[in-house]
Amino acid sequence: MSRGKSVFETPVCHVTLPCGQIDRKEVHLSDAIGTTGYVDLEIPKTGGVTHKSDIYSFGVVLWEILCGRKAFIPNADEDNMFLASLVRFHYENDTVNDIILPDLRNHMSEKSLTSFSNISYSCINKERIHGPDMNSITHELENALELQVSYDNLVTSLFL
């Protein structure tokens, strides 16, 4: 294989970097490129990509897992086209269980599901400037897993 780009590499964005020390909060786009449904819609307002943009995209992936659907469905009605806006609507109206996969919802402990959905929502919340960093997300996802393992162990012990 040649030393050039792999056929599987996809550019995410073109970035303009200043000379000298780089501040992760000050990286700016020259052209936004990305997959519809995963790109942080706040980029034009903030003037560029930051690590919060990556956290937004990761949050969309977490919601894809919870809901069992794609981030963007082009032929869907406007309210259901983008997963992130659908999640925000249901989360803010306390109806998020309506969009979580029923099999997943029925097999997860309520505490684990709540923990997982809360951290996932914080990634795509419109107030991303106050959102979590990746260390906090990792910690909360590990907590959700521990809650689920404890629940599974309890249920298993009841049936032995």
Side-chain angles (χ1 to χ4, degrees), residues 9-46:
E9 290 181 23
T10 303
V12 175
C13 63
H14 299 287
V15 179
T16 304
L17 299 175
C19 293
Q21 197 170 26
I22 298 171
D23 181 353
R24 290 174 61 187
K25 295 178 184 174
E26 296 298 323
V27 177
H28 295 279
L29 286 178
S30 58
D31 296 312
I33 299 173
T35 304
T36 304
Y38 299 93
V39 177
D40 184 358
L41 300 177
E42 296 294 308
I43 290 171
K45 292 178 186 173
T46 61

Side-chain angles (χ1 to χ4, degrees), residues 62 65-67 97 100-118 120 140-141 143-149 151-152 155:
L62 293 174
I65 294 166
L66 282 169
C67 298
N97 280 338
I100 293 176
L101 278 171
D103 284 343
L104 189 59
R105 187 178 63 239
N106 294 333
H107 287 92
M108 285 183 76
S109 77
E110 187 176 335
K111 287 181 181 179
S112 178
L113 183 57
T114 299
S115 177
F116 192 100
S117 61
N118 285 344
S120 301
E140 290 301 319
L141 290 174
N143 181 55
L145 176 61
E146 289 172 15
L147 290 167
Q148 186 62 39
V149 168
Y151 174 80
D152 289 344
V155 169

